[in-house]
Amino acid sequence: MAAALGSVATLATEPAEDAFRKLFRFYRQSRPGTADLGGVIDFSAAQAARGPGPAAHKVVRTQLSVSSVSDHDAHRAGLQPVSNWRAYGLEGYPGFIFIPNPFLPGYQWHWVKQCLKLYSQKPNVCNLDKHMTKEETQDLWEQSKEFLRNKEVNKRRPRSLLEKLRWVTLGYHYNWDSKKYSADHYTPFPSDLAFLSEQVAAACGFQGFRAEAGILNYYRLDSTLGIHVDKSELDHSKPLLSFSFGQSAIFLLGGLKRDEAPTAMFMHSGDIMVMSGFSRLLNHAVPKVLPSSEGESLPCCLETPPPAVLPRDSVVECCSREDWQVCASYLKTARVNMTVRQVLAIDQGFPLEPMEENKRGIATEGFCHLDDGKSHIKRARLNPDS
C-alpha cells in the first residue's frame, strides 16, 4: 500500500503542466479495491478521512442554512431534514460543498426513473439525435425496457438505446458546437428537478436559485468525463449543482488553471456536490467509474424501495416494481449524473448572435462534457452503434 500511495504523491510533484493530466490517467488506469485508490477522499466515511495523496487539503465541516428549507419541503423533494445532512468543504477550495447522500430511503428511485424514463424523452435533446430521426428517438424507455429486463438472460444482445445514451440536455439546451446557450433553444425545465435543486441551493445559502439548464450524463463502466470548466452560463454568481446515482466514481477537482494538481474524491449514489464562488470555475473531471466489488449489483442505498404512500404534495412519484426492474438492470453497470445550473441573472437576457450561429445544430457527435477543446484527455466519441 505504501508503494501505491507513494506513486500518487510522486505524480503530484511532476512538472506542473502535467499534474492534472497524469493524475487523470493514473486514476483511469487504477484497479478498484487496490491500494491505488488510497489517496481518494471518501466523504461518506464517518469522519470523511483521507489517506495521503497528491494534495494535503483538509476536510472541514460546512454549515448549512437549516432554516432556509422547511422539513416539509425537504420531504417533498425526497430529502431528509436539512438538520440531518452532513456537509463538508475542503481548505483551499472556498465555495465547494459536498453533501453525502441526504436522500430519504427509497427516494433515489424517483430521480433515477426520471433520468431514464422521462427526461430522455422529446422535446429534450440527446446525443442520439445526431444519428437518428426524431421518430426513432421518441421514446427510448419503451424501446429499451424489454432489452434491459432480459439483460441477464441474453448477455450477447446488442445494446439498447438507453445503453447508448450518453447525454441529455434540459431547459436551455447547451450547444456543444458553439459552447453557448441561447433563447431559441429552450424547452420547459422539469418542475420536479427544479424544486429539488431549489431546496439544495437554498440549504447552501443560495435562496432564489433558478434551475434553468441541466446536463445529464449517462456513464458506462468504461466512461470518463474529460478535464473542463463549466463557464458557458452567463451568471457565475449562482452555484453548479451535481447529483449522482448508481455506481460510484472518482471525481477530480483542480484549480483555476490546468497546471494545478487536482484533489480526488469518491462520488457515491445519492451524493450531491455544489460548486460556487471561487470553486464555480475550477477545472474538474471524472476519470473512473467504479464497478461494484460484488459483481453486477446495486449500491446498498438503492436496495430499499420508497414508501407505499408519499406526501400528498410531494414532487416525487411512486416507482412501480416493473419500472424499477428496468432501472436496476441499467444501474448495475452504469452511473447517472444530473448537473443543474442557472444560466441568466435576474432580468438578464442573451446577447444577440449572428443568425448563422443560431442555426447550428444543438446535437453533435462531440464529447459528453463541457470542454474548451484543449484537453489532452477527452471522452471517446459517441457512437450509437457501440
Side-chain angles (χ1 to χ4, degrees):
M1 182 170 181
L5 294 179
S7 62
V8 177
T10 300
L11 285 168
T13 60
E14 293 286 344
E17 65 271 19
D18 295 328
F20 203 135
R21 180 164 55 90
K22 289 187 176 181
L23 281 166
F24 185 105
R25 286 179 175 168
F26 177 84
Y27 285 115
R28 183 178 184 180
Q29 296 167 3
S30 63
R31 290 175 293 127
T34 70
D36 289 352
L37 302 183
V40 184
I41 299 173
D42 192 345
F43 288 102
S44 66
Q47 298 181 351
R50 67 168 294 154
H57 295 284
K58 183 180 178 183
V59 174
V60 295
R61 287 298 296 265
T62 296
Q63 295 297 316
L64 296 173
S65 182
V66 175
S67 62
S68 297
V69 180
S70 69
D71 291 355
H72 179 71
D73 281 343
H75 195 176
R76 288 182 61 201
L79 299 164
Q80 301 175 42
V82 177
S83 58
N84 292 350
W85 298 8
R86 292 178 294 123
Y88 299 98
L90 292 172
E91 287 188 354
Y93 291 110
F96 175 76
I97 304 172
F98 195 106
I99 306 169
N101 186 13
F103 289 92
L104 291 163
Y107 280 75
Q108 289 186 54
W109 283 28
H110 169 82
W111 301 108
V112 172
K113 183 192 71 173
Q114 295 297 82
C115 288
L116 296 178
K117 185 175 183 178
L118 183 65
Y119 301 157
S120 62
Q121 290 189 23
K122 296 301 167 219
N124 297 328
V125 180
C126 72
N127 62 286
L128 298 177
D129 296 336
K130 177 68 176 179
H131 311 278
M132 305 174 70
T133 65
K134 183 179 293 188
E135 291 71 25
E136 290 174 318
T137 59
Q138 186 62 39
D139 196 332
L140 303 182
W141 173 271
E142 285 299 321
Q143 297 185 63
S144 304
K145 62 183 183 181
E146 292 307 321
F147 283 92
L148 288 166
R149 284 198 181 111
N150 297 311
K151 182 177 175 182
E152 297 299 321
V153 178
N154 184 9
K155 297 202 174 203
R156 290 191 171 185
R157 62 172 176 76
R159 282 187 176 182
S160 63
L161 289 181
L162 275 179
E163 292 170 296
K164 296 175 183 178
L165 192 62
R166 293 297 175 265
W167 54 261
V168 167
T169 55
L170 311 172
Y172 287 115
H173 296 285
Y174 183 72
N175 186 316
W176 301 95
D177 285 327
S178 66
K179 304 190 187 304
K180 295 179 180 179
Y181 300 96
S182 62
D184 59 345
H185 293 153
Y186 176 83
T187 55
F189 194 91
S191 59
D192 56 348
L193 182 53
F195 185 80
L196 170 68
S197 302
E198 290 161 6
Q199 308 318 304
V200 172
C204 294
F206 294 94
Q207 291 83 2
F209 174 85
R210 298 181 303 174
E212 295 179 326
I215 297 178
L216 314 182
N217 283 329
Y218 299 78
Y219 294 78
R220 309 306 300 170
L221 293 180
D222 59 353
S223 298
T224 64
L225 186 69
I227 305 167
H228 69 282
V229 175
D230 292 283
K231 60 185 179 183
S232 297
E233 296 72 34
L234 301 185
D235 182 9
H236 295 150
S237 69
K238 298 300 188 291
L240 174 70
L241 310 180
S242 171
F243 304 86
S244 295
F245 303 106
Q247 301 302 316
S248 299
I250 295 176
F251 179 80
L252 297 180
L253 181 63
L256 293 172
K257 299 179 181 179
R258 290 184 182 228
D259 59 7
E260 298 180 51
T263 295
M265 61 200 77
F266 290 112
M267 291 186 295
H268 302 301
S269 192
D271 289 349
I272 299 174
M273 287 194 309
V274 179
M275 297 175 68
S276 67
F278 170 82
S279 295
R280 176 64 177 79
L281 296 175
L282 296 183
N283 284 278
H284 53 280
V286 178
K288 186 79 172 180
V289 178
L290 303 167
S292 170
S293 59
E294 301 177 3
E296 293 188 6
S297 63
L298 292 175
C300 294
C301 62
L302 291 177
E303 296 288 357
T304 303
V309 180
L310 300 174
R312 183 173 53 85
D313 56 351
S314 174
V315 302
V316 175
E317 300 173 347
C318 291
C319 178
S320 69
R321 284 287 183 177
E322 292 75 17
D323 281 353
W324 184 246
Q325 183 184 10
V326 177
C327 295
S329 175
Y330 177 89
L331 280 187
K332 285 178 180 179
T333 56
R335 170 181 179 263
V336 178
N337 179 254
M338 308 187 301
T339 59
V340 179
R341 57 289 303 279
Q342 180 171 327
V343 176
L344 301 168
I346 301 298
D347 297 327
Q348 183 181 22
F350 288 99
L352 294 177
E353 297 284 353
M355 287 301 294
E356 286 304 310
E357 180 71 21
N358 284 336
K359 290 179 180 178
R360 297 183 70 183
I362 57 177
T364 82
E365 193 188 89
F367 304 101
C368 182
H369 60 74
L370 308 182
D371 199 290
D372 65 9
K374 298 178 181 178
S375 174
H376 291 89
I377 303 169
K378 296 184 177 180
R379 187 167 182 163
R381 285 193 176 274
L382 303 168
N383 184 344
D385 299 321
S386 62

